[in-house]
Amino acid sequence: MRTGINWTGLLLLVLAAWTLIGLVGVSVTYRKGERPKSLRHLATIVGIWLLYFAVLLGISLTAHPRPIARGQEQCFGDRCLTVLRADPMPGYVPIGDERLLRVSLRISNHSREKRLGDTSLEAFLVDSRGRRWDSVPGLGGVPISTTVAPSGSIISEPVFRLPSSATQLRLVFTHGRGLPNALLLGDRDSLLHPQVFVPLE
């Protein structure tokens, strides 16, 4: 499953550039005293964005939560992650109602020419009650953002601290739901889009 710079990203980029040029045109015509014309152009820009948001929400609201089987690659461009297993942290003595879960990931670079990293990629766990846990800094060794050599692969093992009551755990990869990800049509991080996840239990 490959994602990354694709037609949705290009469409958003073209729309943003067109909007910027359009707003410059609106400003120019307004300063020339052509107020009705500038208002028509502004209405066109607003209308196109409303149509874009309608399509964006339509795609997100009709999509279904998408499970990815353990052992199946999730790709962001040529950089792919595979969940191998999830185990209790070895040597850790539980304190109270908490446990440490270590998730083993293989990160592969399918490019034959470029070293690839991903500084904005994060992973978190969600349970059956919708509770979220981020990885514990300093316990996972190699971070998932690490640069991978061309045609190479590495193992990353993020560790999560969570209560023993957490069940039906799911691992989610995200670049965050801020801009521009929230506005990409059909993207896993787009506005109101259901999660793409790997069931761990």
Side-chain angles (χ1 to χ4, degrees), residues 44 53 78 99 130 144 164:
T44 299
F53 272 102
D78 285 325
R99 57 175 168 149
I144 64 173
S164 300

Side-chain angles (χ1 to χ4, degrees), residues 12 174-184 187-191:
L12 181 60
T174 181
H175 286 100
R177 296 211 169 186
L179 297 176
N181 302 326
L183 298 182
L184 293 174
D187 188 83
R188 65 172 65 208
D189 292 319
S190 63
L191 187 64

Side-chain angles (χ1 to χ4, degrees), residues 94-122:
I95 301 175
D97 185 41
E98 73 172 19
R99 57 175 168 149
L100 289 182
L101 186 68
R102 182 180 63 184
V103 180
S104 297
L105 310 170
R106 181 174 60 246
I107 306 175
S108 303
N109 180 0
H110 292 296
S111 171
R112 296 183 179 180
E113 302 174 353
K114 297 180 180 180
R115 295 176 59 87
L116 297 177
D118 195 340
T119 57
S120 64
L121 184 65
E122 299 178 354

Side-chain angles (χ1 to χ4, degrees), residues 47-62:
I48 293 297
W49 274 104
L50 288 176
L51 176 61
Y52 184 87
F53 272 102
V55 174
L56 175 72
L57 294 177
I59 292 174
S60 292
L61 294 176
T62 55

Side-chain angles (χ1 to χ4, degrees), residues 141-160:
V142 177
I144 64 173
S145 59
T146 298
T147 299
V148 183
S151 301
S153 65
I154 60 173
I155 298 296
S156 176
E157 296 183 320
V159 176
F160 302 86

Side-chain angles (χ1 to χ4, degrees), residues 67-143:
I68 304 296
R70 199 181 312 188
Q72 181 179 343
E73 284 190 329
Q74 296 185 65
C75 295
F76 302 86
D78 285 325
R79 194 172 184 274
C80 302
L81 295 92
T82 306
V83 177
L84 303 176
R85 60 185 179 276
D87 307 295
M89 185 71 174
Y92 175 74
V93 179
I95 301 175
D97 185 41
E98 73 172 19
R99 57 175 168 149
L100 289 182
L101 186 68
R102 182 180 63 184
V103 180
S104 297
L105 310 170
R106 181 174 60 246
I107 306 175
S108 303
N109 180 0
H110 292 296
S111 171
R112 296 183 179 180
E113 302 174 353
K114 297 180 180 180
R115 295 176 59 87
L116 297 177
D118 195 340
T119 57
S120 64
L121 184 65
E122 299 178 354
F124 63 89
L125 293 183
V126 181
D127 73 350
S128 59
R129 295 160 59 182
R131 295 180 293 178
R132 170 176 169 162
W133 296 272
D134 296 315
S135 60
V136 181
L139 292 183
V142 177

